[in-house]
Amino acid sequence: MDSIGFFFFLSPFVVCTSSASPPNFVLLFADDLGFGDLGCYGHPSSLTPNLDRMAAGGLRFTDFYCTSPVCTPSRASLLTGRYQTRSGVYPGVFYPGSRGGLPLNETTIAEVLKPVGYATAAIGKWHLGVGANGMFLPTRQGFDHYLGIPYSHDMGPCRNLTCFPPDIKCFGFCDVGTVTVPLMHNEVIKQQPVNFLELERAYSDFATDFIATSAKNKQPFFIYYPSHHTHYPQYAGVEAAGRTLRGRFGDSLFEFDNTIGNLLTTLEKTGVINNTLVFFTSDNGPELMRMSGGGCSGPLKCGKGTTYEGGMREPAIAFWPGTIRPGVTHEMASTLDILPTIAGLAGAKLPQVMLDGVDMTDILINQGKGKRETMMFYPTDPSEMYGLFALRLGKYKAHFYTRGATHSGTTPDQDCPVFAVLKAHDPPLLFDLEADPSEHYPLQLFGKPDLQAVLQQIIQVKEKFQASMVFGESQISKGVDTDLEPCCNPRCSPKPGCCRC
């Protein structure tokens, strides 16, 4: 049976969350993927058969949010169920030599699941710090196993690396003056620079072996796969290169989709597909500055780097045969909600800290009402001085500040590029996201007491939230030490060019 054919042979769906053993969890996290990039979200030329069939057989979200329009803080919130401001993972992102990382006193999903007997593995882009002696790597944050690049794969010279077969070089220059990108197994560098043509196959094999071993041992498992796809520079191996109508972006997305198909096939073959929640979403919006090579936010405004909908509203799919019925939900939900949801389904204890996530089990199992009433929008550089840039309450979203971003350049919309400087709005711009998800038409407040009341309620919610927010010490502001950059020959010279193995 092919990698996606098993969807048609599953037993009828039933509404049930209990089973003879605790459920397994597979968390798939795309990189720089926009709201409009998947076939099941309307893109006409993307080739995503496995994700599309997950959407057809599972629950597709229309109002799902990440917490930051850039990589690192979004990942911190996903794994901890807390806004990045609480953990100190701001402003911006970590680099190969960053001194800081996701603080070890933060509790990740893996650390929630370990006490109740779960095997845990992370595959792919970590981007939550390496630190001295690997102190911030996944293996120090609750994961039994790790295979991946510990930060973004453009954070190293790529001009002379091959991104597509037979020997098509990577598009662009990436970061220069730093070590080439390493592939790490647990805390050991296995390859530097990484071979992009073989990377996805290595990830797929690692993940499927982990599933097979866990199933054989009858041990519940959690896989976290934050993919490098579809971040710049795109790459793909022989099985995906040249297979789509969408060029290098489409090929890289198709390669990710192929791996998802391999995981689903392995879940089916090992007999655990009906006891596994597979959840897919993305870390932030598309990098529109790359034009046709940078993703698509569909009908949403702007993209990566901004607090408009295109920067933080993401595709999301929940798939669990026999438990989740096929459908579409318009309930508001967030990456923040994944930790408390998984904890509840696994019977695990929640961390004894302030959580910003809520359990969305009722959305998943019953397609019921969600518990989330608000979503907060912080910029890439949050501060106590400015606070929230925007806030969504129900169907209404208020922008207190707006600003463009380099990542969202090249678009015709003049609000998106970096030239759209910070602008305060008093009164805030108010949008009805059900009638106007593109944020084109601010609502007129004059003579509208009902809308004035809505805005006043939003302001009260904002003030209450900001009063409760305690900013953690900024981990990214601790700076960079080039001696901390991962090097497979740490005593070699001259660096960084000698770091090869």
Side-chain angles (χ1 to χ4, degrees):
M1 190 177 294
D2 62 47
S3 64
I4 57 180
F6 67 84
F7 285 97
F8 300 103
F9 295 90
L10 298 173
S11 58
F13 290 96
V14 294
V15 180
C16 177
T17 58
S18 62
S19 62
S21 59
N24 310 301
F25 304 101
V26 177
L27 180 54
L28 306 166
F29 208 40
D31 195 358
D32 286 6
L33 189 76
F35 186 82
D37 274 319
L38 302 183
C40 55
Y41 278 79
H43 199 284
S45 58
S46 285
L47 187 58
T48 51
N50 295 292
L51 284 167
D52 294 350
R53 282 174 166 80
M54 276 179 58
L59 187 63
R60 183 170 66 85
F61 289 75
T62 63
D63 293 63
F64 193 89
Y65 292 92
C66 64
T67 66
S68 174
V70 289
C71 305
T72 291
S74 180
R75 291 155 201 274
S77 295
L78 171 78
L79 287 180
T80 65
R82 287 154 55 83
Y83 282 106
Q84 61 273 17
T85 43
R86 298 193 194 279
S87 59
V89 182
Y90 67 89
V93 301
F94 289 122
Y95 289 89
S98 288
R99 296 186 179 92
L102 179 66
L104 300 182
N105 61 357
E106 291 289 328
T107 304
T108 67
I109 296 173
E111 289 170 317
V112 166
L113 293 174
K114 287 297 293 178
V116 290
Y118 277 72
T120 57
I123 302 106
K125 176 180 174 177
W126 177 239
H127 214 180
L128 288 172
V130 178
N133 302 312
M135 65 181 292
F136 296 117
L137 288 171
T139 46
R140 310 289 184 96
Q141 307 264 17
F143 291 96
D144 300 322
H145 310 283
Y146 174 59
L147 180 71
I149 298 171
Y151 37 80
S152 186
H153 71 283
D154 68 332
M155 291 183 169
C158 68
R159 183 181 183 185
N160 295 317
L161 300 183
T162 300
C163 273
F164 294 92
D167 191 25
I168 299 174
K169 300 305 179 184
C170 298
F171 180 80
F173 294 91
C174 307
D175 289 354
V176 296
T178 186
V179 296
T180 54
V181 174
L183 177 65
M184 302 189 75
H185 179 224
N186 293 335
E187 300 179 12
V188 178
I189 297 174
K190 291 297 185 182
Q191 190 179 65
Q192 193 172 21
V194 67
N195 184 333
F196 288 123
L197 300 190
E198 298 177 356
L199 184 59
E200 194 68 23
R201 172 51 59 183
Y203 286 165
S204 179
D205 291 346
F206 188 82
T208 54
D209 287 348
F210 176 77
I211 291 172
T213 299
S214 299
K216 181 179 179 180
N217 294 337
K218 300 187 183 306
Q219 184 177 13
F221 59 83
F222 168 52
I223 294 179
Y224 170 51
Y225 177 26
S227 177
H228 307 291
H229 295 315
T230 50
H231 195 290
Y232 158 91
Q234 288 84 23
Y235 64 87
V238 294
E239 295 179 358
R243 293 286 304 279
T244 78
L245 300 174
R246 206 179 164 189
R248 63 180 186 271
F249 187 98
D251 291 354
S252 70
L253 177 56
F254 181 56
E255 182 169 71
F256 184 28
D257 187 84
N258 281 345
T259 295
I260 293 171
N262 293 338
L263 298 185
L264 294 171
T265 298
T266 303
L267 292 171
E268 192 265 340
K269 287 181 177 178
T270 54
V272 298
I273 186 73
N274 287 354
N275 194 36
T276 303
L277 169 61
V278 183
F279 199 97
F280 169 88
T281 189
S282 179
D283 66 342
N284 50 250
E287 192 171 33
L288 301 177
M289 65 177 284
R290 307 292 175 187
M291 297 179 283
S292 62
C296 172
S297 56
L300 306 182
K301 187 179 180 72
C302 301
K304 182 176 180 178
T306 76
T307 51
Y308 293 109
E309 291 291 284
M312 295 174 60
R313 189 164 169 176
E314 300 301 326
I317 304 167
F319 179 75
W320 189 351
T323 297
I324 293 178
R325 302 192 314 273
V328 176
T329 179
H330 302 290
E331 295 298 304
M332 195 186 335
S334 167
T335 51
L336 293 164
D337 305 332
I338 292 175
L339 182 147
T341 302
I342 286 178
L345 292 169
K349 293 181 179 179
L350 290 173
Q352 297 303 299
V353 294
M354 172 73 78
L355 288 178
D356 297 298
V358 296
D359 190 334
M360 57 181 173
T361 299
D362 197 43
I363 299 177
L364 301 180
I365 306 305
N366 302 318
Q367 293 188 18
K369 298 292 292 182
K371 298 178 181 178
R372 176 165 295 282
E373 297 178 348
T374 62
M375 191 67 208
M376 313 301 176
F377 294 75
Y378 279 112
T380 57
D381 53 346
S383 67
E384 293 178 273
M385 183 189 337
Y386 289 102
L388 297 174
F389 267 35
L391 188 154
R392 178 175 176 178
L393 175 65
K395 69 176 184 176
Y396 294 102
K397 180 179 178 183
H399 286 271
F400 300 91
Y401 298 94
T402 55
R403 185 177 65 188
T406 301
H407 292 299
S408 282
T410 77
T411 61
D413 189 334
Q414 295 303 303
D415 293 333
C416 301
V418 68
F419 306 109
V421 297
L422 179 67
K423 184 176 182 179
H425 299 281
D426 185 15
L429 300 178
L430 186 66
F431 294 92
D432 178 345
L433 293 181
E434 290 181 357
D436 178 26
S438 301
E439 299 172 290
H440 285 327
Y441 312 109
L443 297 172
Q444 299 302 311
L445 301 176
F446 181 76
K448 300 288 182 62
D450 55 336
L451 294 180
Q452 293 173 11
V454 167
L455 183 56
Q456 188 58 40
Q457 186 181 4
I458 289 175
I459 292 172
Q460 291 173 354
V461 170
K462 174 178 179 281
E463 290 174 349
K464 182 178 179 181
F465 174 81
Q466 291 184 162
S468 72
M469 174 56 66
V470 178
F471 276 63
E473 178 188 6
S474 172
Q475 294 293 309
I476 294 172
S477 295
K478 291 182 177 180
V480 170
D481 180 352
T482 56
D483 289 337
L484 297 178
E485 294 178 3
C487 180
C488 58
N489 295 305
R491 293 182 176 83
C492 73
S493 180
K495 291 181 179 177
C498 65
C499 295
R500 293 178 174 268
C501 57

